Amino acid sequence: MNFAHVHLMINHIPVLGVAFGFIMLVSARFRKSDELLKASLVIFVLTAMAALVVFYTGKPAEHFIENIPGISESAIERHEEMALISLISSGISGGLSLMGLLFLRRSNAIP
């Protein structure tokens, strides 16, 4: 197993994590559930950590696929640019979620 395999195995975790976390967050607001709110914030934090792993397995994975016929360097570059944008947005979301968890813990809303 190489970095290309690892990258392909885990690259959908952040995408699905954001979608699942958002659905839980909306559900928490409608149900006025602190438990669902906490769970959704934890999912965003875990998603940000997964995005970091996915991003840093991408560069080594590039070395395995860059010489495959039909793979263009421009496509790889566009993929890297979008991955950086996704990493930054996921990091912001995860950071804000972690701050939200700490705030809720300090305000005794979450034991």
Side-chain angles (χ1 to χ4, degrees), residues 24-35:
M24 283 188 69
L25 184 63
V26 170
S27 179
R29 295 293 34 146
F30 280 122
R31 293 181 178 203
K32 295 180 174 62
S33 170
D34 286 339
E35 291 81 17

Side-chain angles (χ1 to χ4, degrees), residues 59-73:
K59 196 64 163 173
E62 176 184 358
H63 298 297
F64 288 101
I65 66 160
E66 63 189 354
N67 296 323
I68 296 175
I71 303 293
S72 70
E73 185 65 32

Side-chain angles (χ1 to χ4, degrees), residues 32-97:
K32 295 180 174 62
S33 170
D34 286 339
E35 291 81 17
L36 278 178
L37 174 62
K38 180 183 175 186
S40 67
L41 295 177
V42 167
I43 287 172
F44 287 131
V45 171
L46 293 175
T47 297
M49 293 186 328
L52 196 61
V53 173
V54 170
F55 183 80
Y56 283 108
T57 59
K59 196 64 163 173
E62 176 184 358
H63 298 297
F64 288 101
I65 66 160
E66 63 189 354
N67 296 323
I68 296 175
I71 303 293
S72 70
E73 185 65 32
S74 64
I76 293 173
E77 291 301 318
R78 283 193 308 266
H79 184 81
E80 286 179 14
E81 290 169 5
M82 300 292 15
L84 181 59
I85 292 169
S86 296
L87 176 66
I88 291 169
S89 61
S90 182
I92 291 170
S93 173
L96 290 173
S97 295

